[in-house]
Structure formats: C-alpha cells, structure tokens
Amino acid sequence: MRGALIVVEGLDRAGKSTQCERIERNVKTQLGRECVLYKFPDRTTAIGSTINNYLQNTDTQLSDEAIHLLFSANRWERAQEIINKLNAGVTVVLDRYVYSGIAFSMVKGLDPAWCKSPDVGLPGADLVLFLDVTEDVAKKRGGYGSERYEKIEIQRAVRKAFLEDLRADNWTIIDANNDLDAVETDIFAAIKSTFNNLPEQISVFK
Ligand code: Z5A
Ligand code: MG
C-alpha cells in the first residue's frame, strides 16, 4: 500500500507545526507506518533562502508574481522526492502546501487561475486538514510576529480565500480552538478514515 499525502493548512498560530509533529508520531506509533514531515516554505534550499529573506525583511523588493513563482518552485524542488516516498509506502505530511501559495497571492489581487497554474502537476493531497482558529484564540497564543504577512487584515482575507475559494472535497475543517489533545484526536480520526479509503494512484494537483 502506498503512503498517504496529508496536508495541514491554516492561519498563523493555528497549531499547524505542533499538530504535524503529532501526526508524524501517531502515524508511526498507532498505525505502524513510515512517515516523514516536510514544511513549506522549505527555507533550507537556495530558493527557500530567498523566500526567507522576503518574509523577514519587509523592505525586500520582489514583485508579487516573482515571489509567487518562487514559493511554487520551492515545492517543485521536493516533488519527485515526495512521489518516491509515497510509492515506497511512506506517508508524507506537509506543513503548508499549494493552498497557502494560492491564498496568499490571491489576496494581493493576483488572478486566482494564474496563481494556481505553476502548482498544477504537483502530487495531490489525499487529505487537507484546515486548522481553523478564531482571531481571539490566535491572539492568546502569542502576538503576531514581524514577518511580512503577520497582520490581522491579511490573515482575515487569507482565511476567506481558503474557506470560500479553495476548499474542496478532500478537505476536513478542524476546530483548532480546542486544546492540543482534542485537536490531535479530531485530526487522527480524519487520517484513519483517509487510510481506509486511500485510492491506489497518487493524485495530481489540478
Ligand atoms: N506562504 C506563502 O505566502 N506562500 C506559500 O506558498 C507558502 C507560505 C507555503 C510562512 O509560514 C509564511 O509563508 C506564511 C504563509 C506564507 N505567512 N503567514 N502567516 P510559516 O509556516 O513559516 O509560519 P506560520 O505557519 O504562519 O506560523 P506558525 O507560527 O508556524 O504557526 P503554526 O505552525 O500554525 O503554529 P504552532 O507553531 O504549531 O503553534 C503556535 C503556538 O501556539 C505555540 O506556542 C503552540 O504551542 C501554541 N498552540 C498551538 N496549538 C494550540 C492549542 N490547540 N492550544 C493552545 N496552544 C496551542
Ligand atoms: Mg508553523
């Protein structure tokens, strides 16, 4: 049986990175399957270092189109590796993926179809977990940082893009306002059901 491609999306402070680690652990220990975790942007590559510079230095000049294509290229850098893992039976967990890429550029006013096109052909998710958190709860988890998109108006617009424009049949919305263990339990239920209905073929993002 191939591995599953599980994507975790959500706003700043939703708990994505924390839950990705729990997913990796639970898939290994409770389901007895190999599992690896990738985070996008992957700031460790040459492209990722340009992205990191863009996010951390708000005076970095790059057109919206150029940074959009770099985020996508950063995913393509890992695409073949991800496919190989899935085929080898390894489950792959992604901390942000194409949906973040599209949502953040859409809210800047770029054409949604154009935003989607560079990601078309990437390995497709078997399950997208959207960790939904209210503004009040996110605020209590520590103030927004100083990176480029960490502003309430942007986060609000991005949430709308995720839920109204990008949400699809392979999505499960998770109430991420609950405590860590409750969120973990809800996520694990969705993952078990994904494994029970896993198609033979890896899908392709369209
Ligand atoms: N971006 C883009 O524009 N285009 C793209 O293609 C991609 C990304 C892929 C970098 O993201 C930025 O890049 C991002 C989108 C853009 N800009 N924004 N916003 P990132 O992934 O590096 O950063 P982030 O995900 O936004 O922030 P984060 O702080 O890493 O959030 P998180 O991973 O969701 O949260 P966390 O680290 O797991 O938890 C945060 C804190 O809350 C921590 O102290 C936890 O212990 C606590 N926490 C988490 N869950 C709970 C619960 N349930 N209860 C209580 N406390 C909790
Ligand atoms: Mg994170």
Side-chain angles (χ1 to χ4, degrees):
M1 195 189 184
R2 71 172 175 89
L5 183 55
I6 298 166
V7 170
V8 178
E9 291 279 10
L11 302 182
D12 203 29
R13 303 284 181 276
K16 298 177 298 301
S17 299
T18 309
Q19 293 297 337
C20 279
E21 284 172 17
R22 290 182 177 217
I23 293 170
E24 185 188 13
R25 193 175 64 218
N26 288 335
V27 168
K28 285 178 178 164
T29 60
Q30 314 246 6
L31 301 178
R33 296 176 143 269
E34 277 188 74
C35 187
V36 289
L37 169 58
Y38 292 86
K39 174 167 173 53
F40 290 117
D42 174 355
R43 303 186 195 217
T44 66
T45 69
I47 293 169
S49 127
T50 306
I51 293 172
N52 182 51
N53 194 38
Y54 173 84
L55 289 170
Q56 294 194 344
N57 304 295
T58 31
D59 51 354
T60 301
Q61 300 295 324
L62 260 185
S63 73
D64 293 341
E65 289 83 355
I67 189 65
H68 181 80
L69 294 172
L70 288 176
F71 270 115
S72 177
N74 187 235
R75 288 184 276 280
W76 279 104
E77 290 188 283
R78 294 278 176 244
Q80 192 56 53
E81 193 179 319
I82 290 172
I83 291 169
N84 294 346
K85 298 255 187 234
L86 294 171
N87 281 327
V90 181
T91 286
V92 176
V93 180
L94 304 181
D95 186 349
R96 291 195 185 270
Y97 195 44
V98 295
Y99 308 98
S100 282
I102 301 166
F104 279 86
S105 292
M106 267 178 69
V107 306
K108 293 172 171 176
L110 297 186
D111 173 51
W114 184 88
C115 291
K116 197 175 165 190
S117 56
D119 285 322
V120 168
L122 282 168
D126 295 299
L127 172 67
V128 179
L129 295 156
F130 182 80
L131 273 51
D132 198 18
V133 73
T134 63
E135 289 170 16
D136 286 350
V137 170
K139 228 183 284 168
K140 280 186 205 133
R141 292 182 187 169
Y144 288 118
S146 55
E147 285 199 340
R148 190 176 288 257
Y149 301 131
E150 296 178 334
K151 296 182 184 75
I152 194 74
E153 307 73 36
I154 296 180
Q155 298 290 322
R156 215 175 268 167
V158 167
R159 179 176 182 274
K160 192 163 179 280
F162 272 127
L163 292 174
E164 292 177 17
D165 300 303
L166 300 176
R167 182 181 185 166
D169 291 347
N170 59 346
W171 282 45
T172 296
I173 312 297
I174 301 286
D175 184 349
N177 299 304
N178 296 327
D179 68 51
L180 283 168
D181 292 346
V183 175
E184 178 180 354
T185 301
D186 289 349
I187 286 177
F188 196 56
I191 288 176
K192 277 195 287 194
S193 135
T194 297
F195 275 111
N196 289 336
N197 300 291
L198 196 64
E200 212 171 297
Q201 296 294 318
I202 300 168
S203 73
V204 172
F205 181 68
K206 291 191 203 119

